[in-house]
């Protein structure tokens, strides 16, 4: 017996419902955060006699709602037959029976859960065969497209006293999300790459490795992280990448990282540049993790090192062989166009290329997995060999200057330049302190002296009750206040005036290109919910002089005890 538990708002069409339903069936972890993914067990189809009989379908529902894992094979054998093609590629999905394991994230607490999904043209029914509600509802439920153009959530109960475990979660989370997917605008064809997630590794094995590495190293590395980057992002991102591709080998970087000192002698790390002449014939994998300028060179160097070399690329900043990559595919983002560029490059070098999506805390999470291609065509094999030996002339020539192409100079001789071992600091902090102070004072006083000055209420009593805020100017207008010599000096520091303003955010604030004075205000203390412990944080030590206290005609609007800067 089915009970209509909830229904969504109207959705555009039955086809939109089917698209959304496929997403929920294929990727339950996108809503159920206790899951890492699914592991397919079997895929079958209902026998025609079963599919055409409502009474038999009701019997099947009752049997599946009560069967355990041991009795499941015999039950499926009776009602179904082996499917000849996958349901994902089928035009008619009615009658498919999907048996799979739901894989939990916390493998130390929960075991995989066996689930069966019966798919019909206008609905799908979900059975928790394991009967445990730890990571998925134990209630039998159905998502159905109704005659009212709404998605219905139906619950199956053989008697009124059955436990309806997880019904609220299905109403509050699953149904609204599936309805939202059904109402989403479809992507224009060719406008975005559709890349599956973790398609090149066994999801169960990956989940186990990631869980163990995270438990062993995650918290400890975050506590001792010596770099200036955010450990919560980079530690767990690298653990996820290592779980995907874990090999013994060496690490090469043009500059030594602080974290290298934390590794033992068994970790082989080399501080040296990679050049077009670099070869590592003893290693079978070349891994480029956010390798920037080296990214397009890695597959070439790998192909020159050994014929069976494999490549893993996780690109971020887009570079060609000799500069920044310019988008070549209309209607696509720069990032996705760059992925297609790299895919074509690797294929020209004879690799079979597969794109996969990693589960890492980054927007740039699509990787290229390249394996040696098998080419039976002698012409294609000769072309690949020519690309490798000739350094892919068609790709390189288009990126060189006309004069260099005419002279036929080897591109890597004149063009390739590795990063310097010591990274220059170029954020305006290396300029003369007196020059910086004079420039900041000049700009700030100009904002104070503007005719369209504004007044704001002051936190402390003044003669007229207001404190002079000054006006605002666009960045280009501020630039006109400085001499060419001063601007050139600032521009030499990788950002110029904008970097200077950003480095003095305790004085200036920028909103849509308009610069104004950043009025000192009382800090707003975060109030934690009553149910959570409140930790008392120590006040930060004051390190900088308050510019407003020393330079503003009315002084700082805050008292010494209220201001986060020094009043002297």
């Amino acid at each position: 017996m089915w009970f209509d538990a909830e229904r969504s708002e109207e959705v555009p069409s039955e086809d939109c419902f089917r698209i959304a339903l496929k997403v929920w069936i294929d990727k339950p972890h996108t809503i159920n955060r206790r899951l890492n993914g699914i592991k397919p067990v079997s895929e079958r189809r209902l026998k025609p006699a079963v599919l055409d009989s409502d009474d038999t379908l009701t019997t099947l529902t009752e049997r599946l709602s009560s069967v355990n894992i041991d009795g499941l094979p015999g039950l499926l054998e009776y009602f179904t037959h082996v499917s000849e093609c996958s349901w994902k590629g089928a035009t008619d999905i009615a009658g498919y029976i999907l048996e799979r394991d739901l894989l939990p994230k916390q493998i130390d607490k929960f075991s995989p859960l066996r689930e069966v999904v019966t798919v019909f043209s206008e609905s799908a029914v979900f059975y928790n065969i394991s009967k445990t509600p730890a990571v998925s509802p134990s209630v039998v439920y159905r998502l159905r497209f109704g005659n009212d153009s709404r998605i219905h959530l139906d619950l199956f109960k053989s008697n009124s006293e059955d436990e309806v475990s997880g019904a609220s979660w299905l109403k509050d989370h699953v149904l609204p999300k599936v309805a939202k997917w059904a109402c989403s605008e479809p992507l224009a064809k060719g406008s975005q790459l559709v890349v599956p997630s973790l398609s090149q590794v066994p999801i169960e094995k990956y989940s186990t490795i990631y869980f163990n590495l995270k438990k062993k190293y995650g918290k400890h590395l975050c506590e001792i992280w010596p770099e200036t980057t955010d450990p919560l992002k980079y530690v767990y991102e690298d653990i996820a990448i290592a779980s995907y591709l874990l090999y013994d080998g060496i690490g090469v970087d043009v500059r030594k990282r602080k974290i290298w000192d934390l590794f033992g002698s068994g970790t082989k790390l080399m501080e040296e540049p990679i050049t077009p002449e670099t070869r590592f014939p003893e290693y079978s994998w070349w891994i480029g993790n956010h390798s920037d300028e080296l990214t397009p060179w890695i597959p070439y160097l790998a192909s020159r090192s050994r014929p069976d070399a494999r490549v893993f690329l996780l690109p971020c900043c887009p570079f060609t062989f000799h500069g920044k990559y310019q988008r070549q595919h209309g209607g696509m983002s720069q990032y996705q166009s760059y992925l297609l560029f790299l895919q074509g490059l690797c294929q020209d070098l004879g690799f079979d290329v597969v794109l996969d999506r990693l589960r890492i805390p980054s927007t740039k999470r699509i990787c290229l997995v390249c394996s040696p291609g098998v080419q039976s065509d002698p012409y294609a094999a000769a072309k690949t060999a020519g690309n490798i030996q000739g350094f892919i002339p068609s790709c390189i020539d288009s990126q060189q200057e006309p004069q260099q192409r005419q002279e036929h100079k080897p591109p890597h001789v004149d063009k390739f330049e590795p990063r310097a071992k010591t990274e220059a600091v170029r954020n305006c902090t290396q300029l003369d302190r007196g020059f910086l102070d004079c420039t900041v004072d000049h700009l700030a006083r100009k904002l104070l002296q503007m005719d369209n000055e504004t007044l704001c209420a002051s936190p402390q009593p003044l003669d007229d009750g207001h404190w002079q805020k000054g006006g605002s100017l666009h960045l280009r207008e501020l630039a006109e206040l400085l001499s060419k010599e001063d601007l050139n000096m600032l521009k030499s520091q990788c950002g110029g005036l904008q970097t200077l303003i950003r480095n003095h955010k305790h004085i200036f604030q920028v909103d849509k290109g308009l610069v104004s004075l950043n009025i000192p205000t009382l800090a707003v203390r975060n109030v934690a919910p009553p149910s959570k412990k409140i930790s008392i944080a120590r006040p930060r030590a004051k390190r900088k002089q308050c510019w407003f206290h020393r330079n503003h005609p009315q002084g700082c609007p805050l008292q010494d005890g209220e201001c986060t800067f020094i009043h002297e």
Side-chain angles (χ1 to χ4, degrees), residues 336-386:
Q336 296 216 339
S337 178
Y338 185 55
L339 291 173
L340 292 183
F341 164 78
L342 291 176
Q343 184 181 37
L345 171 66
C346 295
Q347 289 171 343
D348 285 344
L349 287 166
F351 290 104
D352 288 336
V353 186
V354 177
L355 272 61
D356 204 1
R357 187 184 302 272
L358 304 182
R359 293 185 187 171
I360 57 177
S362 172
T363 56
K364 309 292 177 62
R365 51 186 174 181
I366 296 179
C367 67
L368 294 90
V369 182
C370 309
S371 56
V374 179
Q375 296 177 334
S376 57
D377 183 0
Y379 173 77
K383 182 180 179 181
T384 298

Side-chain angles (χ1 to χ4, degrees), residues 249-253 268-287 294 298 300-310:
I250 60 172
V252 184
D253 204 331
K268 301 175 184 178
L269 300 169
M270 301 169 57
E271 184 183 12
E272 63 180 50
I274 298 289
T275 71
E277 287 75 33
T278 299
R279 303 288 184 270
F280 290 110
E282 65 272 35
Y283 296 104
S284 57
W285 277 93
W286 285 62
I287 301 173
L294 277 179
I298 288 175
Y300 165 72
L301 297 176
S303 65
R304 295 297 298 267
S305 292
R306 55 188 290 174
D308 61 342
R310 297 172 180 267

Side-chain angles (χ1 to χ4, degrees), residues 24-321:
W24 170 235
I25 293 174
D26 195 38
K27 302 177 181 179
H29 58 276
T30 56
I31 301 178
N32 190 342
R33 296 303 181 182
R34 292 187 175 186
L35 299 180
N36 242 341
I38 63 172
K39 177 186 176 183
V41 176
S42 70
E43 192 171 304
R44 304 175 68 89
R45 295 201 73 172
L46 290 174
K47 295 176 180 178
V50 177
L51 192 59
D52 295 337
S53 171
D54 291 340
D55 292 339
T56 308
L57 286 176
T58 301
T59 302
L60 173 64
T61 303
E62 293 174 347
R63 296 282 299 277
L64 282 174
S65 65
S66 59
V67 73
N68 56 27
I69 295 180
D70 294 334
L72 182 61
L75 181 63
L76 293 180
E77 185 70 26
Y78 180 80
F79 285 96
T80 68
H81 59 80
V82 177
S83 174
E84 296 180 356
C85 64
S86 172
W87 77 283
K88 293 182 181 180
T91 55
D92 181 13
I93 61 174
Y96 274 90
I97 303 289
L98 311 176
E99 181 186 5
R100 74 265 193 90
D101 285 338
L102 304 183
L103 305 177
K105 285 184 177 179
Q106 296 178 298
I107 60 176
D108 59 335
K109 295 182 179 180
F110 308 115
S111 300
L113 183 151
R114 183 63 54 86
E115 182 182 65
V116 169
V117 183
T118 58
V119 186
F120 303 96
S121 59
E122 298 179 352
S123 66
V125 185
F126 299 80
Y127 303 87
N128 183 336
I129 304 299
S130 298
K131 306 296 188 296
T132 57
V135 295
S136 186
S138 60
V139 63
V140 177
Y141 67 95
R142 177 174 65 185
L143 292 175
R144 171 176 56 88
F145 183 79
N147 294 329
D148 55 358
S149 296
R150 301 172 187 267
I151 302 176
H152 293 247
L153 170 65
D154 302 329
L155 303 179
F156 181 80
K157 296 170 63 177
S158 57
N159 61 71
S160 59
E161 297 180 358
D162 282 351
E163 178 69 17
V164 188
S165 175
S168 298
W169 181 78
L170 292 169
K171 294 179 184 179
D172 298 338
H173 297 278
V174 176
L175 181 61
K177 191 67 174 180
V178 174
K180 182 179 179 181
W181 290 338
C183 294
S184 299
E185 289 289 335
L187 294 172
K189 190 173 183 180
S191 65
Q192 187 172 350
L193 291 174
V194 179
V195 181
S197 173
L198 300 180
S199 64
Q200 299 303 299
V201 293
I203 182 64
E204 188 173 21
K205 182 178 180 181
Y206 169 86
S207 301
T208 301
I209 294 175
Y210 176 76
F211 178 85
N212 291 333
L213 290 178
K214 179 181 177 181
K215 185 176 181 180
K216 183 176 181 180
Y217 297 108
K219 183 179 179 181
H220 175 65
L221 284 177
C222 286
E223 291 174 347
I224 63 173
W225 187 248
E227 308 290 347
T228 58
T229 51
D230 180 10
L232 291 178
K233 177 185 186 300
Y234 287 92
V235 167
Y236 293 108
E237 178 175 325
D238 284 346
I239 287 176
I241 296 172
S243 304
Y244 188 92
L245 189 66
L246 191 61
Y247 283 91
D248 289 331
I250 60 172
V252 184
D253 204 331
V254 70
R255 304 186 198 102
K256 179 183 177 181
R257 307 297 174 130
K258 295 178 182 178
I259 197 172
W260 288 15
D261 294 329
L262 303 180
F263 296 111
S265 58
T267 303
K268 301 175 184 178
L269 300 169
M270 301 169 57
E271 184 183 12
E272 63 180 50
I274 298 289
T275 71
E277 287 75 33
T278 299
R279 303 288 184 270
F280 290 110
E282 65 272 35
Y283 296 104
S284 57
W285 277 93
W286 285 62
I287 301 173
N289 177 11
H290 291 193
S291 43
D292 295 347
E293 295 96 332
L294 277 179
T295 299
W297 290 86
I298 288 175
Y300 165 72
L301 297 176
S303 65
R304 295 297 298 267
S305 292
R306 55 188 290 174
D308 61 342
R310 297 172 180 267
V311 174
F312 172 92
L313 295 176
L314 182 60
C316 181
C317 300
F319 283 91
T320 63
F321 290 97

Side-chain angles (χ1 to χ4, degrees), residues 444 447-448 469 471 507-509 515-519 547-548 552:
L447 293 174
L448 276 174
K469 176 185 177 181
I507 302 174
F508 305 102
Q509 63 180 2
V515 183
S516 59
L517 293 177
N518 189 4
I519 307 171
W547 185 91
F548 296 96
H552 195 281

